[in-house]
Amino acid sequence: MNKSIASALLLACACAALPAGAQTLKPGLWSLSNTMTSSDPQVSQAMSAVQQHMANMSPEQRQQMQKIMQQNGVQLDVGTNGALQTKLCMTREMAERKEFPVQQGDCKQSFTQQSATRGHIAFTCTKPKVSGEGDLVADNDTSYRASMKIRSEEQGRNQTVDMDVTGKWLSADCGTIRPIPIPRAK
């Protein structure tokens, strides 16, 4: 599978993992459903391959992947219709900082508050070369929605992924999922 596409997909999940304008969202364990689509056949095939690979993992492989992901603050699985199901622990600081998880490396981001419940986010990273923007809506302190457009470039070829995310607060206790490490954006 194309490494840049896989990196872009993982970054896309992370980018929508925390709603940047969510000053009123409850800290704790959140469940996210990420649905990704692309009009590019190569990108669609890569996304399907990632989803199929995850769905076909043996119980031992799945357990090992979950352990590694939980050590990095995320629980990831494939849900119905290929949606990536993620659980993560959001601290109060994460919500107040108005930043979202970005790929380690040279990344810049901006957030424009449009109202008490709406905002627009944009980011650019150089490794991998990925950028994106989207709109976030906090329905209330336990629910939000986001629509993102993620663009990557590999070997002079541009690739685009559209992603819709719904987030739902589960509990104040994150259990075994520790907060995701979020490097400071530049």
Side-chain angles (χ1 to χ4, degrees):
M1 178 195 317
N2 183 318
K3 185 177 179 180
S4 180
I5 293 173
S7 294
L9 292 176
L10 292 175
L11 178 61
C13 289
C15 289
L18 295 176
Q23 303 137 308
T24 61
L25 290 184
K26 287 185 173 186
L29 185 62
W30 281 79
S31 173
L32 309 175
S33 179
N34 302 283
T35 304
M36 295 175 277
T37 58
S38 176
S39 59
D40 183 326
Q42 183 181 0
V43 174
S44 293
Q45 287 175 342
M47 290 188 306
S48 293
V50 168
Q51 292 167 341
Q52 189 66 38
H53 177 73
M54 289 178 66
N56 291 336
M57 284 182 168
S58 70
E60 294 81 17
Q61 290 172 318
R62 185 175 299 277
Q63 184 177 18
Q64 183 179 13
M65 181 193 74
Q66 290 290 3
K67 183 178 178 182
I68 292 168
M69 298 288 288
Q70 283 183 345
Q71 290 172 349
N72 290 292
V74 176
Q75 182 178 344
L76 180 68
D77 206 350
V78 177
T80 57
N81 297 325
L84 294 176
Q85 302 295 319
T86 309
K87 288 184 182 174
L88 61 85
C89 184
M90 180 170 40
T91 65
R92 183 169 308 283
E93 179 189 19
M94 289 174 180
E96 290 172 354
R97 226 173 26 199
K98 295 185 181 182
E99 290 184 358
F100 61 97
V102 293
Q103 181 74 22
Q104 291 184 358
D106 188 15
C107 295
K108 297 178 182 182
Q109 64 178 305
S110 66
F111 178 75
T112 305
Q113 188 83 35
Q114 296 171 325
S115 73
T117 60
R118 292 183 164 276
H120 184 80
I121 195 159
F123 71 93
T124 304
C125 298
T126 58
K127 293 180 183 180
K129 193 168 184 177
V130 178
S131 63
E133 62 182 319
D135 295 306
L136 303 143
V137 177
D139 298 316
N140 53 50
D141 65 350
T142 61
S143 174
Y144 74 87
R145 296 170 281 133
S147 292
M148 302 285 294
K149 185 172 285 291
I150 312 296
R151 293 172 295 280
S152 67
E153 183 182 322
E154 181 178 335
Q155 300 172 351
R157 186 169 184 263
N158 293 323
Q159 301 164 333
T160 302
V161 173
D162 293 313
M163 184 175 59
D164 291 315
V165 180
T166 56
K168 180 181 177 188
W169 183 83
L170 299 176
S171 75
D173 181 7
C174 291
T176 60
I177 300 175
R178 67 182 192 160
I180 190 169
I182 302 176
R184 292 274 184 193
K186 297 174 183 159

